[in-house]
Amino acid sequence: WSVLASGPPVWRIELARRPGALGEQRGINEALSWDHDRLDALEAASFRMRESGDFVSASEMYAAFAVGLRRHIGFEEQILFPAFENVSGMNPAAGPTAVMRAEHREIESLLAAIEEGITDPGFPVETFREQFHAVLGEHNLKEEEILYPMSDRFLGVEEADWLVEQVQRFGG
């Protein structure tokens, strides 16, 4: 095995369309909750690899998870939250999206700590992971049970479908 070229990592993007009729409209709750599930699976897989002693694969899988989660946070903050604030009339500095943004900063901080220590067998990664899951679990619950359904209701079917399309095109 030899390295033919060195350079920056290459990221692979996977697109998957949910089952349904072509042209069927998508809701925000369905699309973004699905992304939560996809990200959860990547994070769990990375820790299974770490537990088996495969720190290199664990790091690579966690990096894919981190990119996906940062992208998810980006499209929420740049696309979803402004649309929600616009149609709901809620203040971005004091409403539910302000809370979500603050939680995003906490999630990003814990994500970075785990990312940095995932390959170190002596790093207390489980302590950070527990904190991460406590914040992320509550955060995702609020989004999936409150913010996303409210966004679907406030925006309506056509606008929600358009917004999901913008999320899918988001480059981050």
Side-chain angles (χ1 to χ4, degrees):
W1 190 85
S2 64
V3 176
L4 299 177
S6 63
V10 176
W11 296 100
R12 180 175 54 107
I13 306 261
E14 240 177 77
L15 298 176
R17 182 162 173 83
R18 65 167 166 78
L22 189 59
E24 185 178 330
Q25 293 177 317
R26 299 141 306 180
I28 293 162
N29 195 18
E30 176 192 14
L32 301 192
S33 294
W34 176 88
D35 200 43
H36 285 169
D37 294 343
R38 179 187 69 83
L39 292 168
D40 289 345
L42 289 172
E43 192 265 354
S46 71
F47 274 87
R48 284 192 301 276
M49 291 170 186
R50 187 179 195 277
E51 289 163 11
S52 74
D54 187 352
F55 291 93
V56 171
S57 295
S59 178
E60 290 170 356
M61 183 67 69
Y62 201 82
F65 163 70
V67 165
L69 183 56
R70 287 183 180 111
R71 180 181 179 276
H72 185 98
I73 288 169
F75 63 63
E76 284 182 343
E77 292 188 358
Q78 294 177 39
I79 298 172
L80 176 63
F81 293 177
F84 174 82
E85 293 155 356
N86 185 51
V87 297
S88 69
M90 293 187 187
N91 183 344
T97 53
V99 173
M100 297 288 125
R101 285 182 180 97
E103 290 173 355
H104 283 168
R105 301 298 78 80
E106 188 174 0
I107 289 164
E108 288 169 332
S109 175
L110 291 164
L111 178 70
I114 295 168
E115 211 172 4
E116 187 174 314
I118 197 161
T119 59
D120 180 355
F123 184 76
V125 72
E126 286 301 328
T127 301
F128 285 97
R129 188 179 186 210
E130 286 174 19
Q131 295 171 5
F132 179 79
H133 278 272
V135 176
L136 187 66
E138 285 293 318
H139 178 84
N140 287 352
L141 191 66
K142 286 185 265 187
E143 286 181 339
E144 292 178 14
E145 293 191 3
I146 301 167
L147 186 68
Y148 296 166
M150 284 177 70
S151 296
D152 278 326
R153 274 194 312 278
F154 286 158
L155 291 168
V157 176
E158 296 288 329
E159 186 72 14
D161 183 65
W162 178 86
L163 192 132
V164 169
E165 182 180 333
Q166 301 316 300
V167 162
Q168 290 171 334
R169 293 174 188 232
F170 184 75

